[in-house]
Amino acid sequence: MKKHQRSSILFFGIVLMLMFSASSAAGWDHEGPTLGPADAPVKIAFYYDFQCGHCKKTAPVMLSLVDDYKNLVQLTAVNFPSPGHSYAEPSAELALTAADHGKFREAFILLFEKQSELSPDNLIKYGKALGLDEKTVRANLENHAHRKIIKRDFYKALEIGLTATPTIFVNETKLMGYHDADYFKWHINQELKKKGIKSPVGEVPKPVKKKDPYAKSVPSDMIFVSKPMPPNNSKLLVEVGQKAPEFGLETIDGKEISLSDYLGKANVVISFVPAAWTPVCSAQWPEYNENKDVFDKNETKLIGISVDNRPSLFAWCGTMGDLWFPVVSDFYPHGATAKEYGVLREEGVAERALFLIDKKGIIRYIDVHDINSKPNFEILKSQMEKLNQ
């Protein structure tokens, strides 16, 4: 990024902070599909992105609050799609199309459940599964029928100082990140107490500040927003049941590791990602970082591979905090390991691919995923558990 561009972003951020300070007391001003009565004493606004991993975990929590508090809570769901998430806006388009037909909740649940499979073709299928007219869904997706609303919500989010999802407002209290239901229930109960209303869920303990997670988020102004790419354009050269190709690559701290280092000791997941500093990659590895216990429980080691050079990977990984797994560079000869596995794309980057390899070096699971979306960790988890049985 050029120096003047970075300066502009910093200036823009300062302006937004000033705007937020001036407008934060302006009252409830969140628009979007709602669940719950309009006269509810507690109003919740959930700013989300359908490709945001923490939003996926937060969405069912939000719905549970509506169900548990019944007529005391109204939820407003507000799209805040990241420009770097290729399928976030089309998914929002489908959700709003469903809302037009009284099926927002069903779409909200389905789209988060299918987060790792939000391709344009699949969105048509999901519309049909929701009972929506296929011609209407297709026309709305192609013509961006709700883009005006999506852009309205996006710029309004910027105006009130939002920079990340999930962001949640409980009346005027701003909360950020994923939390369990009790965390939000405590805040809702505080609002009910102000109005002299007894909570239907009873008392819940005051939230304890969480410890810092293993991984941090890459700062938004450091993420390179890339255009959507063809989901896959390489030819896989290995298959399940085959011995995994050996490799020896250098980690970002200068050590060389090879696949054979792990033979007889642990199962291995190889995670190829396309490029440092890009949105989906910058969300995928932090998710694995936060789930170290899952890998440990299943006697599985993780190796992250990118065709980026070591200095770029070193800087990128530094913004994500202390990664517990080694990250290696497949830069020179460029993409040699990715090419041997058959996941080097025409553009010179690796596919977004996962290979689960057992202690004998045999490939047991492969996911060459749509490069524009993050693989479903729950599927990888189930495969590790299956292998460890």
Side-chain angles (χ1 to χ4, degrees), residues 55-91:
C55 293
K56 179 180 179 179
K57 294 192 293 183
T58 302
V61 174
M62 294 294 104
L63 295 179
S64 74
L65 298 175
V66 174
D67 295 338
D68 290 345
Y69 283 89
K70 303 187 186 308
N71 64 332
L72 297 179
V73 163
Q74 183 191 56
L75 172 68
T76 301
V78 190
N79 280 293
F80 187 32
S82 166
H85 287 161
S86 303
Y87 300 147
E89 185 177 329
S91 298

Side-chain angles (χ1 to χ4, degrees), residues 214 285-302 322-325 377 384:
Y214 282 106
W285 280 359
E287 181 177 31
Y288 299 161
N289 214 43
E290 293 170 1
N291 284 281
K292 181 179 184 296
D293 59 327
V294 175
F295 288 86
D296 289 344
K297 183 179 179 181
N298 291 289
E299 300 180 12
T300 303
K301 300 297 183 181
L302 174 64
D322 297 323
L323 298 180
W324 60 266
F325 55 91
F377 180 73
M384 288 192 286

